[in-house]
Amino acid sequence: MAAMSDTKKPLADRAFGADPKSRLIVAYQSHQDALRFLASTLGQQNGVALLQGPRGSGKSTILREQKDWLSRDAAVVAIDGANLTPRHLLTGMLAQFDVKATSTHDEHLLQLLNQFLSQQTRAGSVPVLMIDDIDRATPSALSLLNWMAALDVVGRYALRIVLTGKGDLVSMMNSGSMRSIARRHPLVYSMNPMSSQEATIYLRTRHIAAGGRRSDEVFSIDVCQKLHELSGGWPGPLNQSAMNAMSRLEELHSAKPKPRLVISRDGQVVKEVELSERQHLIGRTDLADIVIDDTYVSKMHAMIQVYDNAIVLLDLNSTNGTTVNSRVVQKAVLRSDDIISLGRYRLKIENAPAMDSAMDERIKATDTMTMQNLGDIRRARARRTIKALNRK
């Protein structure tokens, strides 16, 4: 079965799912500090860097980013340390170094690797070995790593090494089987979690990059603070918490009937309109979202703004005014069964969400925001119309 394309994946998966091919990186302070640490350490003669932090702290993402950067000037390999054996380590390194082996014997593979490392080091470009989750490798793989760490060419180490793990890597390197690495005096950096502010930027940026809208509403300050608290600020758990929150939100939205308008003329229903967009312009012009063909109605008569917790009707300084439930209004919060009267037309609202107290201040500011945006809406509708006419 073919893999589901990115555009068909749920938004939560696109924004926060585990996708090894994803190149979206939202940097935060510890992420940037870790990259600077790796660049500085690998530039030194000893060239052994230890990156430690709990699972989900972003170590693998940092390795991928550092590998992309280092690959411009040196041969770099990245190996998964989980259950790593000597054979997997050797064959993985040779394959990524693009070294062809004519035999599968360990002695031959070791000889090929030694030759390649020596050639590269003599040329002034010391290769880099990155092993993620080194604390999950087999003891025999650690012994081979220790052997490789001792290789030198005319007094210069023939391999730069980056190791990540969730435990105390310094103590691990000081064990008897890792003497060669310990003699190179490796430097260590411990990952730190995001702050609450960094988590907010991270969540909204990934949501927007995946095609999400209203990111500041989906991930409000309160929601971001709660997700930060649940995850401890670590990117892996934060991604999972965000996916869970979005899935629950999508379930609620899918279970809740969409608000809509039932439009009638002289008592006969002529159309039903689902209020699925953030703004719906009502007017006599063809540029309106909801066209009401009645001389009573202005070209741009009124606007309906749809929020998760309220639907707001705004009169756009129309000639004859807007009436809701037989009362002329400039602005009104619409509730289910409310009826907007426009000449011979009646627009009945159905499935309107109940307004909560948090919307009150926002609604007070909607007049100004609407009038500021109205010119942009007119221009956008005009451009779409011109494009449509040109295609005919």
Side-chain angles (χ1 to χ4, degrees):
M1 181 181 294
M4 182 182 294
S5 67
D6 287 342
T7 55
K8 293 182 180 179
K9 287 181 181 178
L11 177 58
D13 288 338
R14 298 200 307 273
F16 302 106
D19 182 2
K21 296 181 181 179
S22 173
R23 291 303 180 193
L24 173 63
I25 295 174
V26 183
Y28 53 100
Q29 187 61 55
S30 186
H31 178 104
Q32 295 171 327
D33 290 344
L35 289 173
R36 284 192 287 267
F37 161 77
L38 290 179
S40 173
T41 303
L42 293 177
Q44 298 180 25
Q45 177 65 25
N46 290 351
V48 177
L50 309 178
L51 189 64
Q52 62 187 26
R55 192 168 303 282
S57 58
K59 303 186 299 294
S60 299
T61 300
I62 289 168
L63 283 196
R64 287 199 301 272
E65 187 174 357
Q66 189 68 27
K67 181 177 184 291
D68 289 343
W69 179 260
L70 291 171
S71 296
R72 303 174 185 182
D73 303 313
V76 186
V77 296
I79 304 291
D80 184 0
N83 303 314
L84 183 64
T85 65
R87 173 54 66 92
H88 289 146
L89 179 55
L90 275 175
T91 56
M93 290 180 68
L94 290 172
Q96 292 187 51
F97 283 142
D98 201 23
V99 176
K100 307 298 182 185
T102 58
S103 170
T104 58
H105 288 88
D106 289 345
E107 294 81 0
H108 175 69
L109 300 179
L110 283 169
Q111 184 181 15
L112 285 176
L113 180 61
N114 195 5
Q115 290 174 353
F116 177 82
L117 297 178
S118 297
Q119 291 170 356
Q120 295 291 309
T121 303
R122 289 180 188 278
S125 181
V126 182
V128 180
L129 168 64
M130 297 179 166
I131 302 181
D132 202 8
D133 290 332
I134 188 62
D135 44 2
R136 299 175 64 192
T138 64
S140 54
L142 295 179
S143 296
L144 175 58
L145 174 63
N146 186 65
W147 174 82
M148 289 189 289
L151 295 175
D152 72 274
V153 178
V154 293
R156 187 178 186 184
Y157 289 116
L159 188 66
R160 292 178 286 173
I161 299 171
V162 179
L163 306 173
T164 79
K166 65 178 181 178
D168 183 358
L169 294 185
V170 175
S171 297
M172 181 180 176
M173 296 304 114
N174 286 330
S175 65
S177 61
M178 306 298 287
R179 271 190 215 96
S180 296
I181 290 185
R183 274 197 288 265
R184 290 178 62 168
H185 304 293
L187 299 179
V188 62
Y189 178 82
S190 297
M191 296 295 298
N192 294 309
M194 301 179 204
S195 67
S196 179
Q197 182 179 14
E198 289 173 330
T200 299
I201 296 170
Y202 178 92
L203 292 166
R204 291 179 178 178
T205 302
R206 293 191 71 96
H207 186 253
I208 291 169
R213 300 190 302 168
R214 310 182 195 175
S215 294
D216 58 335
E217 294 181 14
V218 175
F219 291 105
S220 64
I221 296 297
D222 290 343
V223 169
C224 290
Q225 288 177 346
K226 183 61 176 179
L227 295 180
H228 177 262
E229 179 184 335
L230 290 172
S231 65
W234 299 111
L238 185 60
N239 286 339
Q240 189 59 54
S241 296
M243 286 185 67
N244 294 340
M246 287 186 67
S247 296
R248 290 196 295 270
L249 187 62
E250 288 170 5
E251 289 173 4
L252 288 173
H253 281 309
S254 61
K256 187 167 57 176
K258 298 284 187 183
R260 64 175 185 167
L261 287 176
V262 178
I263 303 173
S264 60
R265 182 176 182 271
D266 297 332
Q268 298 295 317
V269 174
V270 295
K271 190 176 183 181
E272 294 183 2
V273 177
E274 188 175 276
L275 300 178
S276 56
E277 299 296 327
R278 176 64 176 270
Q279 296 181 134
H280 296 264
L281 187 63
I282 301 173
R284 196 173 73 249
T285 174
D286 289 339
L287 298 180
D289 299 299
I290 302 171
V291 178
I292 304 297
D293 188 12
D294 192 300
T295 55
Y296 176 92
V297 178
S298 299
K299 289 183 178 181
M300 292 192 177
H301 193 103
M303 178 179 288
I304 291 178
Q305 294 186 322
V306 181
Y307 301 91
D308 290 336
N309 47 4
I311 296 179
V312 180
L313 173 69
L314 298 167
D315 182 87
L316 301 178
N317 295 328
S318 63
T319 302
N320 295 311
T322 302
T323 301
V324 176
N325 299 334
S326 302
R327 183 171 62 90
V328 177
V329 299
Q330 184 67 32
K331 173 171 55 180
V333 176
L334 299 177
R335 295 172 175 79
S336 293
D337 297 327
D338 281 351
I339 295 177
I340 305 167
S341 300
L342 298 173
R344 298 168 66 185
Y345 286 81
R346 300 293 180 268
L347 287 65
K348 181 182 179 182
I349 184 75
E350 293 187 349
N351 306 323
M355 186 184 76
D356 59 29
S357 56
M359 283 298 297
D360 192 31
E361 289 300 320
R362 296 187 63 178
I363 291 172
K364 290 177 182 177
T366 50
D367 285 332
T368 302
M369 291 188 297
T370 298
M371 297 312 296
Q372 287 175 342
N373 294 333
L374 192 53
D376 292 335
I377 293 170
R378 288 191 178 109
R379 288 188 288 272
R381 303 255 191 269
R383 283 195 295 268
R384 286 209 299 268
T385 301
I386 291 168
K387 287 181 181 178
L389 292 172
N390 288 338
R391 285 196 295 267
K392 292 183 179 179

